[in-house]
Amino acid sequence: MAIISISRGIASSGNEIAERLAHKLDYRLITGTDIEAKIVHYGFPEDKLPLFNEKRPLFWHFITKERELYFNYLKLAILSFAEKDNCIFLGKGAWKILRDVPNHISFNFTSPMEERIRKTCRERNINVHHAGASILKSDTRRKGYYKDYFKCDVNDPNNYNMTITTNENNIAPIADMLSVMIKNYETEELNLKGMKKIHELRTNQKIINMLVIDNKLPITDLNIKGEKKNLTLTGLAESSAQVERALDLIKLEYPDLSVKSEIQCVQDLSSVRK
């Protein structure tokens, strides 16, 4: 049992490999559409999804709550799917969200530009010029999305367990090779560790959503460090009263947890500058 995440550029045959791999392993394939449906189910406005669909947020969205709302629902959706185990994620930053899960494996599929252009021309019935422009636009949007939401370079091979160069002729052998590798990688002990970590991450994300979504606390970039029952809050708040409110709410909802704060307050930062 394992959790697989796949990152791929447009026309890199990543979708086809993921579909074949899911079939061979009998894993559920979690697409971007599945994740977006879960986000909407949690309460995010469906008509706002196109604004955040793997592209760099507009300036206005950097300073609105919609951006943070989307990102927190995105993380909760991916962790909710991962809790069911035996799944393959396509895109949406799953490889970054699940990076610390012991039984998680991440793959990045790339393909030469000439190959991508040929594939795009054939599939969309467009000329080489339009195909190349479409690919470059998609690559730019994808790079901006990961830079702004996940603070990383999506093309950096160090972000993945394995980066593989593909073409349409090696889809089957790549999927077959990865299937064997994953089956050899799976162990019951590793799976138990993975499920435990995912449960911790999902609990942490539920706490974050409870504070910033349900109770509308204006804490920016709220995150939780630590594990088990010893947690630390980080982020940026307008006042220490908001931090105290957050700690009180967590104590009320999760009395067994030991939580401290490293949240920075705007008023404290202003005092330091003076």
Side-chain angles (χ1 to χ4, degrees), residues 153-173:
D153 180 0
V154 68
N155 297 316
D156 185 352
N158 294 314
N159 288 321
Y160 311 97
N161 292 111
M162 186 179 295
T163 293
I164 301 173
T165 301
T166 69
N167 61 59
E168 291 186 283
N169 296 321
N170 63 13
I171 291 173

Side-chain angles (χ1 to χ4, degrees), residues 170-216:
N170 63 13
I171 291 173
I174 287 176
D176 294 347
M177 175 193 72
L178 295 180
S179 174
V180 173
M181 186 190 80
I182 291 166
K183 288 178 180 178
N184 289 332
Y185 175 80
E186 297 172 341
T187 67
E188 186 63 27
E189 179 182 2
L190 196 62
N191 181 61
L192 290 173
K193 290 180 179 178
M195 290 300 98
K196 181 179 179 182
K197 184 65 177 180
I198 288 171
H199 178 71
E200 290 176 357
L201 291 173
R202 187 167 184 264
T203 298
N204 292 352
Q205 191 58 50
K206 287 173 68 176
I207 293 172
I208 292 172
N209 288 14
M210 180 267 290
L211 296 175
V212 301
I213 296 175
D214 300 340
N215 288 279
K216 296 181 172 56

Side-chain angles (χ1 to χ4, degrees), residues 109-167:
F109 295 118
T110 65
S111 187
M113 180 58 76
E114 296 81 1
E115 173 75 18
R116 299 171 72 192
I117 289 175
R118 281 196 297 269
K119 191 171 188 289
T120 302
C121 285
R122 186 183 69 254
E123 291 180 347
R124 296 175 55 184
N125 193 28
I126 56 179
N127 62 36
V128 170
H129 173 75
H130 286 106
S134 175
I135 291 170
L136 290 175
K137 181 179 179 180
S138 175
D139 287 351
T140 300
R141 288 174 53 176
R142 179 169 172 256
K143 187 173 183 178
Y145 175 84
Y146 284 96
K147 179 180 179 180
D148 293 319
Y149 281 104
F150 297 99
K151 307 295 187 290
C152 70
D153 180 0
V154 68
N155 297 316
D156 185 352
N158 294 314
N159 288 321
Y160 311 97
N161 292 111
M162 186 179 295
T163 293
I164 301 173
T165 301
T166 69
N167 61 59

